[in-house]
Amino acid sequence: MLQAFLIILQRDLILAIRHRAELMNPMLFFVLVVVLFPLGIGAEATILERIAPGIIWIAALLSALLSLDRIFRTDMEDGSLEQMLISAQPMSLLILAKIIAHWIITGLPVVLVGPLLALFLGLSAEGIETLFFTLLLGTPVLSAIGSVGVALTVGLRRGGVVLSLLVLPLYVPVLIFASQAVDAAAAGFPTAAPIAMLSALLLLSLSLTPWAASAALKMSVS
Amino acid sequence: MIMRFIYQLGSPPYFYALSGRLLPWLSGLCFILFAAGLYGGLVLAPADYQQGDSFRIIYIHVPAAWMSLFVYMIMAFSGAMALIWRIKIAEIILINSAHIGAVFTFLALVTGSIWGKPMWGTWWVWDARLTSELLLLFLYLGIIALYSAIDDKRKAARAVAILALVGVVNIPIIHYSVEWWSTLHQGPTVTKFDKPSIDTRMLIPLLLMAFAYKFLYAIVVLLRARNDLLWRERRSQWVATLFSKEGA
Amino acid sequence: MEAFLKFIDMGGYAGYVWSSYGLALLVFGLSIILPLKEKRQLEKRIRRIIQNEKSVSK
C-alpha cells in the first residue's frame, strides 16, 4: 500500500518535471497578482503593509485554483485514472498521493516565494515569519479541498467556472485564519490560536477529502 | 418496519400518489399559519421600544435565515440517503430543495440588509451573520451550478449529493471562522438580531411564521419533485396509466 | 381610517417593512407559481409522447 502511494507520488512529480514550463505558470500567476495590487492601490507603504497578508493569501488562493485542474484532468484524458480506480489499491490513498504531489508542484513554490513578496510589500520580520508558516500549513489544505472540486467537475467540458464556484467558498476559513495570524504577528499579538486552527484544518482536510474525492471520481468516471 | 416505509416511499408511483393527497392539506395548514403569523406579527405584537415598528421585519428575516440552514441539512441528509441506499426519491428531494433553499437564503440576506439600513445607517455591514449567510448562498449556487453542468441527471444527482455532504461538514467551520473574523475586526458583533428576552406577543408570531415557512418549503419541494418525477419516468407504465385514468 | 393609516405608516418605517414583506410575497409566489406552470407544460408534453407511442404501436 505504501509502495503504491510512493509510486503515484513519484510518477506525478516526474511528469511535472518533464513539463517544466507548465510548472512555472501558477507561480508566475501568483507573483503577477501580487504585483498588480500596488499598481492598482498605490504604493503607499503604510497601506501596503496593512493589506499585505490579505493580498498574498488571495493570490495564493487564485493560483491554487488555476492549477487545480491538473490533479486529475490529464490522468482522466489518458485513461490512467480508470486504471487506478479498478486497481486493488484503496483509491483514497492514491488520491492522497496525488494531492501531496500537486502541493509539491504548485504549493511549495508559493510557500517559498510568498515571504519574498511580503518583503517587497513592507511586511515586518515577525509578519513574514508567520506568513511563511501559514503558507506552509494552509496551501496543502487548498490542494486537498480542491481535489474534491476537481473530482466532481473533471468530466465536464466547461468545468472551470463551476469549479471556482464550488471551491472558493470552502477556502474561506483558510483565508481567514491565515491572514488573521499574519495580521496578529505583524501587530505583535500572539498567533497560537489561528495557527492551531490552521493545523486542525490541515489534518481534517488531509484525512477527509481523499474519501470524498474518491467517491466523486467513481461517479465522474463511470 | 421503518425501512419498509422508506423503501415504499422510495417507489415513484407511491410517492407521487401520496404527495398528491398531502398537498391540499399542507397548503391549507400553510395558509392558516401564514395568516395567523402575519396578523400576530403585524397587528398584535407591540412595537419594539428601541427599534419601533422596523423590528417587524424579523418575521420575514429570521425564519428565512433559519430555513436557509434547515434546508441545507435536509439536503445533506437526503444526499446521504441517496448515496447509501440509492433511493431515487432522496435524489429528487435533494436537488429540488436547492432552489427554494437559495430563495430563503437570498430573502434572509436582502431583508437583513433592508433591516440594517435604519438600524446601522448603511445597507451592508460585514457582520458575521450576514457574511456567513452570503457564503451559504454561494454554497447553494454552487450546488445548482454543478447540477445543471452535468448532463446525465442520475450522475448529476450523485455529484450533488457528495457536494452537499462536503458542504455540511464545512458549514460549521465557515460559520465559526467568520464569527472569529468579525469579532477581531469590529469588536463583539451587534447582537440586534437575537435578544435574550423577547415579549411572548412578539415570540409567538415568530414561531408561527417559522412553521409556516416549513410548510411552504414542503409544498414547493413536493411540487417540484412531482414535476421532476413525472418527466424522469415519462416512459414508465405508471405514468401512462396515470394519464389514461385522467381520461385525456 | 386613521388607525389603518397608522398601520400602513409603520411608525415611519413603512418603506423598509413593506418592501421586505413585498419581496417575500414575490419570491414565495414565484416559487409556487413556476412549478405549477411547468407542470401544465409537462402534462402536455407527456400526453404527446404517449399519443405518439400509441400511434406507432398501432
Side-chain angles (χ1 to χ4, degrees):
Chain A
M1 252 166 69
L2 186 68
Q3 210 180 359
F5 176 84
L6 291 176
I7 288 174
I8 294 281
L9 188 62
Q10 196 185 10
R11 168 183 168 275
D12 274 19
L13 291 180
I14 290 173
L15 279 178
I17 291 170
R18 290 211 185 123
H19 301 276
R20 224 159 304 163
E22 246 178 273
L23 195 66
M24 294 296 293
N25 289 346
M27 201 187 69
L28 284 178
F29 179 79
F30 171 71
V31 174
L32 203 61
V33 171
V34 173
V35 168
L36 286 181
F37 274 89
L39 297 178
I41 296 172
E44 216 172 305
T46 49
I47 295 177
L48 284 181
E49 188 192 345
R50 174 71 196 76
I51 60 174
I55 292 175
I56 290 179
W57 260 100
I58 288 172
L61 247 59
L62 294 177
S63 83
L65 192 67
L66 196 73
S67 65
L68 276 181
D69 219 25
R70 80 165 70 196
I71 300 186
F72 298 125
R73 165 98 40 190
T74 46
D75 287 350
M76 170 97 173
E77 280 162 1
D78 67 13
S80 46
L81 204 58
E82 277 175 53
Q83 296 299 321
M84 286 180 213
L85 278 171
I86 57 174
S87 75
Q89 307 297 333
M91 190 60 194
S92 47
L93 193 73
L94 304 185
I95 289 176
L96 186 62
K98 292 188 78 62
I99 290 172
I100 291 174
H102 177 263
W103 175 72
I104 293 174
I105 298 161
T106 63
L108 204 54
V110 167
V111 175
L112 298 176
V113 176
L116 190 67
L117 289 173
L119 195 66
F120 291 167
L121 294 175
L123 200 63
S124 67
E126 293 82 16
I128 290 177
E129 194 189 326
T130 311
L131 179 73
F132 176 73
F133 284 119
T134 59
L135 283 171
L136 199 60
L137 290 170
T139 45
V141 182
L142 305 183
S143 298
I145 294 176
S147 73
V148 182
V150 179
L152 285 169
T153 54
V154 71
L156 306 178
R157 251 166 289 130
R158 284 183 300 275
V161 186
V162 179
L163 176 67
S164 53
L165 194 55
L166 300 188
V167 166
L168 280 179
L170 304 181
Y171 279 175
V172 166
V174 181
L175 175 68
I176 288 177
F177 288 124
S179 51
Q180 289 305 321
V182 183
D183 268 351
F189 291 120
T191 57
I195 293 283
M197 289 306 298
L198 269 182
S199 318
L201 285 180
L202 177 64
L203 291 179
L204 198 67
S205 62
L206 282 184
S207 51
L208 290 183
T209 54
W211 298 94
S214 94
L217 274 182
K218 275 170 198 153
M219 179 279 307
S220 283
V221 171
S222 67
Chain B
M1 178 64 197
I2 294 172
M3 278 318 286
R4 228 191 92 200
F5 177 70
I6 289 178
Y7 276 112
Q8 206 176 17
L9 200 64
S11 119
Y14 183 78
F15 178 85
Y16 193 85
L18 182 72
S19 60
R21 252 177 295 147
L22 274 178
L23 268 173
W25 292 97
L26 290 177
S27 315
L29 271 170
C30 181
F31 184 78
I32 293 170
L33 280 169
F34 262 119
L38 286 176
Y39 184 70
L42 288 173
V43 182
L44 294 185
D48 187 81
Y49 76 99
Q50 259 184 333
Q51 306 182 29
D53 281 315
S54 76
F55 96 99
R56 294 185 201 280
I57 297 176
I58 203 177
Y59 299 113
I60 298 292
H61 172 80
V62 169
W66 285 343
M67 284 310 286
S68 64
L69 269 179
F70 177 78
V71 173
Y72 207 94
M73 294 302 145
I74 296 230
M75 285 169 62
F77 185 70
S78 28
M81 297 235 296
L83 287 176
I84 297 168
W85 290 302
R86 298 280 157 95
I87 300 177
K88 220 186 236 182
I89 298 299
E91 284 175 12
I92 286 180
I93 296 224
L94 162 61
I95 189 54
N96 287 296
S97 295
H99 288 84
I100 180 74
V103 164
F104 282 128
T105 316
F106 173 76
L107 186 66
L109 265 180
V110 176
T111 53
S113 166
I114 292 175
W115 196 2
K117 179 67 183 162
M119 290 303 110
W120 292 317
T122 56
W123 291 106
W124 182 264
V125 170
W126 289 96
D127 153 80
R129 278 153 203 266
L130 281 178
T131 309
S132 30
E133 200 72 17
L134 183 64
L135 290 171
L136 188 60
L137 182 64
F138 286 127
L139 290 184
Y140 274 114
L141 295 180
I143 284 188
I144 294 171
L146 182 66
Y147 185 76
S148 53
I150 303 178
D151 293 328
D152 177 352
K153 288 308 169 199
R154 271 322 282 270
K155 233 179 177 183
R158 272 163 66 202
V160 163
I162 295 171
L163 183 61
L165 285 175
V166 172
V168 93
V169 173
N170 269 284
I171 283 179
I173 302 176
I174 294 178
H175 189 78
Y176 175 75
S177 68
V178 169
E179 203 121 281
W180 199 76
W181 160 82
S182 107
T183 50
L184 267 189
H185 273 278
Q186 47 194 45
T189 352
V190 199
T191 47
K192 260 173 199 143
F193 287 165
D194 60 346
K195 283 191 208 132
S197 62
I198 179 170
D199 192 316
T200 18
R201 279 174 301 170
M202 293 179 177
L203 184 65
I204 289 175
L206 187 63
L207 295 179
L208 286 175
M209 288 299 277
F211 279 112
Y213 272 46
K214 295 229 160 48
F215 276 97
L216 182 84
Y217 162 69
I219 291 167
V220 173
V221 166
L222 286 185
L223 284 177
R224 298 183 64 107
R226 282 161 65 84
N227 287 349
D228 207 348
L229 211 56
L230 263 189
W231 186 243
R232 283 191 196 206
E233 307 256 314
R234 59 189 178 275
R235 304 203 184 275
S236 72
Q237 194 51 49
W238 69 270
V239 173
T241 42
L242 190 75
F243 276 78
S244 63
K245 244 191 261 167
E246 277 176 12
Chain C
M1 190 61 206
E2 204 154 295
F4 181 71
L5 278 180
K6 209 175 151 225
F7 172 69
I8 291 294
D9 185 51
M10 277 288 152
Y13 291 113
Y16 301 116
V17 173
W18 294 119
S19 60
S20 295
Y21 280 80
L23 182 76
L25 186 69
L26 181 76
V27 294
F28 290 164
L30 281 179
S31 305
I32 290 189
I33 290 168
L34 289 180
L36 285 177
K37 264 179 107 174
E38 198 196 339
K39 174 156 195 199
R40 229 173 295 151
Q41 277 177 342
L42 272 181
E43 279 174 350
K44 250 186 234 163
R45 280 160 78 181
I46 292 176
R47 283 223 174 83
R48 211 171 301 144
I49 291 173
I50 293 176
Q51 221 101 65
N52 283 349
E53 276 172 5
K54 264 187 197 158
S55 58
V56 167
S57 61
K58 268 175 197 167

